[in-house]
Amino acid sequence: MGCCRPIVGNSGQNVSAALLILFYISGFYYIFYFAATLAMIIYKSQAFSYPDGFLAPDLALLCIMAILEALRLYLGSKGNLTEEEAPLGLSLVITVGSMILSVYFLIWQTYVLRADVIINTVLLFTYGLESVFQVLAIAAFVG
């Protein structure tokens, strides 16, 4: 019966563990997201008449997003493992920038395919879920 008791008083550790798992899953999903988005941009440039000067900004924003994602996951994992608020808070701020770029690829890029909508919606959902857990972890570390 002791194996089924809920752990009381360790909610900070539970949030921290869940956040670490989310960062891990998000890292793998972003690799898939980057490859799929790059492949779709190449496909769209070949299948559709891409307006002059629009392909380079889409590719540049995807590369900027990849750099931000690597930094976001590093700072978030570091802050979570060391239980420091500053790196976790900075990761939360970078998450907002990544969300804006994801919305760009969801709505404002030159051509938006149904696959773009699906993978960006999943990415935005994971960003939202991670943001909630980051705020909870910061609150647990402070309190």
Side-chain angles (χ1 to χ4, degrees):
M1 192 72 125
C3 69
C4 299
R5 281 185 319 170
I7 299 173
V8 179
N10 291 332
S11 63
Q13 290 176 349
N14 293 340
V15 168
S16 183
L19 183 58
L20 195 59
I21 291 169
L22 277 173
F23 281 141
Y24 185 75
I25 292 169
S26 182
F28 281 109
Y29 182 75
Y30 190 78
I31 293 170
F32 162 75
Y33 173 85
F34 181 83
T37 302
L38 182 62
M40 284 188 285
I41 288 174
I42 292 170
Y43 166 74
K44 290 183 270 189
S45 70
Q46 299 297 316
F48 305 112
S49 60
Y50 231 75
D52 292 337
F54 282 76
L55 181 61
D58 284 352
L59 290 172
L61 287 175
L62 184 63
C63 290
I64 290 169
M65 190 175 180
I67 292 167
L68 283 177
E69 186 69 15
L71 186 61
R72 184 185 78 82
L73 290 174
Y74 171 74
L75 288 172
S77 296
K78 180 183 176 192
N80 190 32
L81 290 173
T82 60
E83 294 186 0
E84 293 180 20
E85 301 88 20
L88 205 51
L90 190 55
S91 174
L92 189 59
V93 170
I94 295 172
T95 300
V96 173
S98 294
M99 284 177 149
I100 292 169
L101 286 171
S102 183
V103 168
Y104 169 81
F105 284 108
L106 179 64
I107 298 173
W108 298 312
Q109 72 175 323
T110 307
Y111 293 108
V112 180
L113 302 176
R114 182 171 289 147
D116 285 316
V117 172
I118 293 168
I119 64 173
N120 279 293
T121 302
V122 171
L123 188 64
L124 284 170
F125 175 76
T126 59
Y127 284 158
L129 196 58
E130 285 176 9
S131 296
V132 169
F133 277 96
Q134 282 178 322
V135 169
L136 291 174
I138 290 171
F141 298 158
V142 170

